[in-house]
Amino acid sequence: MKRIIAISACAFLLLMTACSGGSKRNPMLDAKDKDFVLKGISDLTQVSQLTGADSPNHTEKYGVYGTDLGSMINDGDRTYFVLGDTFGERPEGMTGGGGSLWRSNTLAYTTDVEPSDGITLDGMIIDEIGLAKELLPSAKVDFDEMTKIPTHGLSANGALYLYYMSVNHWGEPGKWDANYASLAKSTDQGQNWTLLDEVKWPGDGNFIQVSPFKVDAAEGKKDVYLWAIPSGRYGGVKLMKVAEESVENLADYRYFSGTDDKGAPVWSENPAQAKTVVDDSVGELSVVWNPYLERWLMTYLNEGNGVVIREGLAPWGPWGDKIELVSPTEYPGLYAPFMNERYTADGGKSIYFALSLWDPYNVFWFKATLEK
């Protein structure tokens, strides 16, 4: 009887682990026996305007009349919206960046978890006179350091981190030169930031703009996967990862360099060995895990073709064909489609995302339905 019970317990344990080596297979990291299921997008809706004097948030009270980007960081019950070049009052009818009181980057936050009617901001990180504070100061000198643009961030190790790029020069539309990409850290909920200069990628590399996502790893820990593109909007996507506790140690980052004969990912210490996982013209990318599809989702600006979405079976792929998410005809000057796993509905069937429009140079809130 004891032997029967032992065998049954062993069988149950094997069923629960579902893979050799005693660890449960993580569906986020396993493309085996998966097919693409995303058929299209429906019910695209502009829900609300997030920033600017015409938004329900009236961010002009913080000296924010025009701004862009809006990638998101979840930290406890708070979500931060990371904004790029931010301006005060602007001439009537002005298109694109410009205006008074230029700050290279600013930060808003919210505890609003109901995305269907827009996002109500609780506030912004402010300076001593109550205006939105520049988090990472920049030289603001062309062909030296024009600006510091945060590309994305995450909460880890009890701190907030911002990945950012130092822009040397804005070139033709969709093209710019970067000095380097790096990391900054805040231990006081975004009030003050320290530049981590020891974590730095060269400006001519493929790891300038990133989208991070934390994935369960062994022994209750987490790895951070980061999909990355060069400066500008004309490069493809490569992939790196690092243990959450090691995000401040450049030597601990590993770069996806292909798969072995069993389809398992191979990771290299050398970024020069990184393989392209999505070969396209990619700008301002965002990657999240979607529970409705049980697949990865990637959104980005495909220069000249609007904002597109792709489905991934594993972080390194394969990635499905791009599907139009937002038309450039309907929304001219669109860019920076940033998703957040916190803002979905119907089990992930409905996704919400921030989107910047060059005219009126502000951030808007959109919704779309995934069809499978």
Side-chain angles (χ1 to χ4, degrees):
M1 182 66 178
K2 289 182 179 179
R3 178 175 174 81
I4 294 173
I5 293 173
I7 292 173
S8 298
C10 182
F12 177 76
L13 179 61
L14 288 172
L15 179 64
M16 291 301 292
T17 57
C19 70
S20 62
S23 61
K24 188 175 181 180
R25 183 159 49 186
N26 187 339
M28 293 185 179
L29 304 178
D30 184 15
K32 185 179 180 181
D33 301 324
K34 285 183 180 178
D35 294 316
F36 294 114
V37 296
L38 179 62
K39 301 300 183 184
I41 300 296
S42 64
D43 301 325
L44 177 74
T45 306
Q46 180 181 306
V47 178
S48 180
Q49 184 170 335
L50 289 180
T51 64
D54 294 330
S55 76
N57 291 308
H58 290 289
T59 58
E60 76 277 6
K61 63 190 173 186
Y62 303 108
V64 179
Y65 286 77
T67 191
D68 68 351
L69 303 183
S71 62
M72 288 161 267
I73 303 171
N74 296 329
D75 183 39
D77 62 355
R78 180 181 281 192
T79 297
Y80 294 89
F81 283 80
V82 185
L83 303 169
D85 285 316
T86 299
F87 299 92
E89 292 185 271
R90 293 155 51 82
E92 185 71 26
M94 184 175 187
T95 297
S100 66
L101 195 60
W102 175 20
R103 289 140 292 169
S104 286
N105 38 75
T106 55
L107 191 64
Y109 56 88
T110 184
T111 52
D112 190 351
V113 294
E114 177 45 69
S116 63
D117 57 353
I119 297 296
T120 300
L121 299 178
D122 295 344
M124 298 192 73
I125 302 302
I126 57 175
D127 61 18
E128 62 278 1
I129 61 173
L131 299 180
K133 180 180 180 181
E134 183 175 64
L135 313 174
L136 314 178
S138 62
K140 299 180 178 62
V141 177
D142 202 6
F143 294 103
D144 177 12
E145 183 182 66
M146 194 64 177
T147 188
K148 281 188 175 80
I149 300 297
T151 63
H152 224 117
L154 77 158
S155 169
N157 310 316
L160 297 178
Y161 292 92
L162 279 180
Y163 290 89
Y164 72 92
M165 58 180 171
S166 170
V167 176
N168 176 279
H169 171 70
W170 296 116
E172 298 175 3
K175 297 182 179 181
W176 57 86
D177 300 321
N179 295 311
Y180 59 86
S182 190
L183 187 64
K185 177 182 181 180
S186 173
T187 57
D188 56 6
Q189 295 187 304
Q191 296 292 330
N192 297 285
W193 293 83
T194 300
L195 301 182
L196 304 179
D197 290 333
E198 63 276 16
V199 184
K200 190 172 286 187
W201 291 269
D204 59 355
N206 211 102
F207 299 91
I208 303 301
Q209 303 170 81
V210 304
S211 179
F213 197 94
K214 288 193 283 188
V215 176
D216 289 339
E219 299 177 354
K221 297 185 177 182
K222 291 184 181 293
D223 287 333
V224 181
Y225 285 75
L226 301 105
W227 295 260
I229 59 176
S231 60
R233 295 170 174 161
Y234 290 98
V237 182
K238 296 186 178 182
L239 179 67
M240 59 182 173
K241 73 170 183 175
V242 67
E244 178 181 4
E245 64 268 22
S246 299
V247 294
E248 297 182 33
N249 188 356
L250 183 62
D252 287 343
Y253 284 75
R254 295 294 180 265
Y255 304 87
F256 173 73
S257 58
T259 55
D260 63 19
D261 56 2
K262 296 182 179 179
V266 177
W267 301 94
S268 171
E269 297 179 3
N270 184 359
Q273 295 181 357
K275 300 293 186 183
T276 298
V277 298
V278 173
D279 187 9
D280 202 2
S281 295
V282 179
E284 298 97 40
L285 79 166
S286 177
V287 183
V288 299
W289 173 258
N290 181 267
Y292 174 67
L293 299 179
E294 295 187 314
R295 304 290 190 272
W296 292 96
L297 289 180
M298 177 186 294
T299 53
Y300 57 90
L301 175 65
N302 186 210
E303 190 77 358
N305 296 310
V307 165
V308 299
I309 188 168
R310 287 181 186 259
E311 167 193 14
L313 305 186
W316 46 88
W319 287 88
D321 293 337
K322 58 190 174 188
I323 297 171
E324 182 179 82
L325 179 59
V326 189
S327 165
T329 303
E330 189 172 357
Y331 294 97
L334 75 178
Y335 61 106
F338 292 121
M339 301 178 289
N340 183 310
E341 67 273 21
R342 177 168 283 178
Y343 294 125
T344 65
D346 304 319
K349 183 175 183 179
S350 295
I351 60 170
Y352 292 83
F353 57 98
L355 184 70
S356 296
L357 298 178
W358 192 242
D359 182 11
Y361 193 69
N362 268 299
V363 183
F364 293 77
W365 193 240
F366 279 74
K367 173 189 176 182
T369 300
L370 305 175
E371 301 293 347
K372 68 176 181 178

